[in-house]
């Protein structure tokens, strides 16, 4: 999948997640604010209700209160059945009895602005039609009859939001003085009293809270979005840079491969063209030497001829080794299961002249078999054993020990000698092409590099180690089977 597209999708998901989370928090916060506002309003309604009730009960305990008669306080016709509704003070002032409902109504009429909260007493059985219940109150009274002890509701009347609270009012001993004639007994529900709290002010405050919370959350949301987008830009930039970097690397790699191919081709062509002339040079210099009778020749001419022959030999070997080196990374035939002991035995035969010349003793252990191409395996052992024969046993009789073992799918072979060894610092260099240390067996300095190229191109490793007796060990590994053919 396209990386940038995937990355865009991730950004959209992150933004949506952030928006939903914050939106959820905002809704929750606003709900809390509304609940809090309603709690406050209910508290106000209840405390007002309690005050009204306390006032009514206080007046009831005194059986009503006598006040001077004036235009706004005429005698209450609802109390006409009481013998002492109107009395006269010794000085002749007229007093009349005020019942609790009357007192409270007058107080609210004259001073209701202090409150803002309206109180009301009501019943289905009226002494005064002014106390008639409105539809909401009628509904509440019916619910009291079904046993409810409080009715509380947020309502909208005359387009004004209000909170209404109502509770039943039970008949007590003190009520009977005025209400007994209606047939009430102590404990009867005589009606209900209620309060109404205007909600306009609360709703305004809530609106302000909502606005400020919304702004606050929006700012946080915008900040989050900003950070997400910034991060996104950064990541995108980095992705692009990486892509570019990879493209550059790819181009470089291709250029390298091409250059390597060109150089290899050049080396192949050069070696091919040098092959014939170098061989001829050698053949003709030998021919010339044979033709000249030893006793007749000027020693100077003879030395020169020998010199030519030597260099021609070197040239021929060099061309041959370069070709070997170039081909070392390719199999020289079908890979087959090889008996490595047999391969080593044949190499030993090939090296017989050198072995008898140096008087070397060669000990070969049990060598694990290997799937590989015969030609290259022979060359590897040939190069390494020749190298050992030339370096082994300076002063003493050369001794070469060849051993092998198998570890987790890799075969490890070891060719050790009893020579003077090579100091650690030079060990890596003997595997570099044209690094001649002390004149290798083939004289070209390419022997060990060829062996290394053969081993490494097959997935193995080659290295020099110090042998048990202090000499040098050449150790190399090769996969027991070519990759993909396990089991
Ligand atoms: C001093 C006499 C008096 C006492 C005490 C008194 N009331 Fe009343 N009450 C009245 C009168 C008169 C009215 C009707 C006129 C008015 O609204 O002023 C009334 C009205 C009411 C109403 C409104 C419905 C209606 O009939 O108009 C209720 C409910 C009520 N009283 C309940 C009670 C209860 C419960 C008590 C005892 C806690 C009580 N009253 C104590 C005289 C009294």
């Amino acid at each position: 999948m396209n990386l940038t597209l995937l990355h865009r999708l991730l950004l959209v998901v992150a933004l949506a997640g952030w928006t939903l989370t914050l939106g959820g928090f905002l809704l929750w916060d606003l709900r809390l604010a509304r609940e809090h506002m309603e709690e406050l309003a209910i508290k106000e309604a209840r405390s007002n209700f309690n005050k009204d009730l306390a006032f009514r009960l206080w007046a009831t305990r005194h059986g009503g209160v006598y006040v001077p008669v004036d235009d706004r306080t005429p005698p209450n016709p609802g109390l006409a059945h009481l013998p002492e509704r109107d009395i006269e003070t010794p000085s002749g002032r007229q007093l009349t009895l005020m019942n609790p409902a009357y007192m409270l109504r007058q107080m609210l009429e004259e001073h209701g602005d202090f409150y803002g909260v309206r109180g009301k007493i009501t019943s289905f059985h009226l002494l005064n039609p002014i106390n008639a219940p409105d539809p909401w109150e009628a509904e509440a009274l019916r619910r009291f009859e079904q046993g409810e002890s409080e009715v509380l509701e947020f309502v909208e009347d005359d387009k004004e939001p209000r909170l209404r609270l109502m509770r039943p009012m039970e008949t007590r001993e003190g009520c009977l003085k005025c209400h007994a004639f209606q047939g009430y007994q102590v404990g009867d529900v005589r009606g209900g009293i209620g309060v109404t709290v205007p909600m306009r002010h609360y709703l305004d405050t809530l609106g302000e809270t909502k606005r400020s919370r919304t702004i606050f959350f929006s700012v946080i949301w915008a900040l989050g979005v900003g950070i997400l987008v910034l991060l996104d830009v950064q990541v995108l930039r980095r992705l692009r840079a990486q892509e570019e970097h990879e493209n550059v690397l790819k181009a470089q790699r291709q250029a390298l491969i091409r250059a390597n191919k060109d150089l290899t081709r050049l080396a192949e062509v050069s070696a091919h063209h040098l092959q014939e002339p170098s061989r001829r040079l050698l053949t003709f210099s030998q021919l010339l030497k044979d033709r000249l009778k030893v006793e007749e020749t000027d020693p100077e001419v003879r030395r020169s001829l020998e010199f030519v022959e030597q260099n021609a030999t070197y040239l021929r070997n060099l061309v041959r080794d370069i070709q070997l080196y170039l081909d070392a990374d390719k199999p020289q035939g079908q890979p087959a299961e090889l008996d490595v002991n047999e391969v080593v035995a044949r190499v030993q035969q090939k090296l017989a002249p050198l072995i008898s010349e140096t008087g070397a003793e060669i000990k070969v252990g049990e060598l694990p078999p290997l799937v590989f191409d015969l030609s290259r395996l022979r060359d590897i052992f040939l190069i390494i054993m020749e190298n050992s024969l030339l370096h082994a046993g300076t002063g003493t009789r050369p001794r070469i020990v060849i051993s092998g073992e198998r570890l987790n799918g890799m075969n490890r072979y070891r060719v050790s000698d009893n020579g003077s060894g090579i100091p650690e610092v030079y060990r890596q260099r003997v595997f570099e092409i044209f690094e001649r240390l002390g004149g290798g067996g083939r004289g070209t300095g390419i022997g060990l590099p060829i062996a290394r190229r053969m081993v490494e191109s097959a997935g193995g490793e080659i290295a020099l180690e110090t042998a048990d007796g202090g000499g040098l060990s050449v150790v190399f590994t090769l996969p027991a089977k070519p990759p993909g053919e396990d089991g």
Side-chain angles (χ1 to χ4, degrees), residues 133-386:
D134 64 19
W136 188 86
E137 287 166 337
E139 171 65 24
L141 286 172
R142 271 191 284 277
R143 282 161 74 171
F144 296 149
E145 279 165 11
Q146 282 156 26
E148 265 181 59
S149 59
E150 184 183 78
V151 176
L152 189 88
E153 205 178 345
F154 290 93
V155 296
E156 180 108 6
D157 63 30
D158 303 334
K159 297 247 151 96
E160 272 301 308
R162 297 181 214 274
L163 168 61
R164 300 193 69 166
L165 168 73
M166 198 159 147
R167 285 193 196 159
M169 203 175 178
E170 276 180 16
T171 310
R172 302 179 180 219
E173 191 63 45
C175 319
L176 293 178
K177 172 183 174 190
C178 312
H179 289 293
F181 81 99
Q182 288 175 293
Y184 288 111
Q185 289 176 0
V186 173
D188 288 349
V189 172
R190 167 69 183 86
I193 50 175
V195 292
T196 303
V197 178
M199 292 298 293
R200 172 66 54 203
H201 162 72
Y202 283 105
L203 289 175
D204 287 351
T205 314
L206 180 67
E208 247 163 61
T209 311
K210 276 184 175 175
R211 252 194 309 284
S212 66
R213 301 308 285 167
T214 307
I215 291 173
F216 175 73
F217 274 90
S218 302
V219 168
I220 302 260
W221 176 81
L223 264 177
V225 168
I227 288 171
L228 274 176
V229 169
L230 267 181
L231 273 179
D232 175 68
V233 168
Q234 286 289 341
V235 169
L236 202 65
R237 196 174 295 158
R238 218 164 280 172
L239 276 179
R240 293 247 165 82
Q242 199 175 323
E243 212 170 333
E244 247 163 60
H245 183 65
E246 266 161 25
N247 284 343
V248 169
L249 277 186
K250 211 154 126 196
Q252 282 175 344
R253 212 162 30 233
Q254 269 160 2
L256 209 65
I257 289 171
R258 207 174 314 119
N260 194 40
K261 230 186 203 160
D262 288 351
L263 275 179
T264 308
R265 183 85 196 116
L266 177 71
E268 275 167 2
V269 170
S270 312
H272 180 76
H273 286 294
L274 282 173
Q275 202 179 340
E276 222 13 66
S278 66
R279 202 180 298 147
R280 279 203 205 123
L281 204 58
L282 183 60
T283 314
F284 284 105
S285 68
Q286 279 167 347
L287 198 74
L288 210 57
K289 200 177 81 182
D290 290 347
R291 280 288 169 85
L292 293 171
K293 290 269 167 357
V294 182
E295 36 307 350
E296 286 168 15
T297 326
D298 177 352
E300 197 64 26
V301 173
R302 202 161 177 89
R303 254 202 308 281
S304 299
L305 259 178
E306 265 165 16
F307 191 63
V308 169
E309 190 193 346
Q310 257 173 33
N311 279 280
T313 309
Y314 175 68
L315 189 61
R316 189 203 57 188
N317 289 350
L318 188 62
V319 170
R320 181 201 60 199
D321 279 1
I322 287 172
Q323 276 174 326
L324 251 179
Y325 182 86
L326 289 172
D327 288 341
D329 60 346
K330 302 179 258 305
Q332 314 284 307
Q334 269 319 88
E337 166 109 35
L338 301 176
D339 177 342
V340 181
N341 278 90
E342 202 185 298
V343 174
V344 170
R346 277 211 247 149
V347 171
Q348 243 171 296
Q349 274 169 25
K350 203 165 177 193
L351 290 172
L354 187 59
I355 294 171
S356 65
E357 187 189 309
T358 52
E361 177 197 350
I362 298 185
K363 230 183 100 194
V364 185
E366 190 67 32
L367 304 176
L370 180 72
V371 178
F372 204 64
D373 61 287
L374 174 65
S375 165
R376 278 199 301 169
L377 189 66
R378 217 168 35 206
D379 281 344
I380 293 171
F381 273 107
L382 185 72
I383 289 167
I384 294 173
M385 283 166 70
E386 190 181 29

Side-chain angles (χ1 to χ4, degrees), residues 56-57 59-65 76-79 81-82 97-103 105 121-132 169-179 182 188 190-193:
R56 288 181 208 277
L57 292 180
T60 299
R61 197 174 74 73
H62 293 294
V65 177
N76 190 342
L79 295 176
H81 61 288
L82 294 183
L97 187 65
M98 274 189 105
N99 60 301
Y102 189 11
M103 282 162 58
R105 198 168 48 247
I121 188 161
T122 186
S123 174
F124 285 135
H125 310 286
L126 297 167
L127 276 177
N128 185 344
I130 217 172
N131 295 324
M169 203 175 178
E170 276 180 16
T171 310
R172 302 179 180 219
E173 191 63 45
C175 319
L176 293 178
K177 172 183 174 190
C178 312
H179 289 293
Q182 288 175 293
D188 288 349
R190 167 69 183 86
I193 50 175

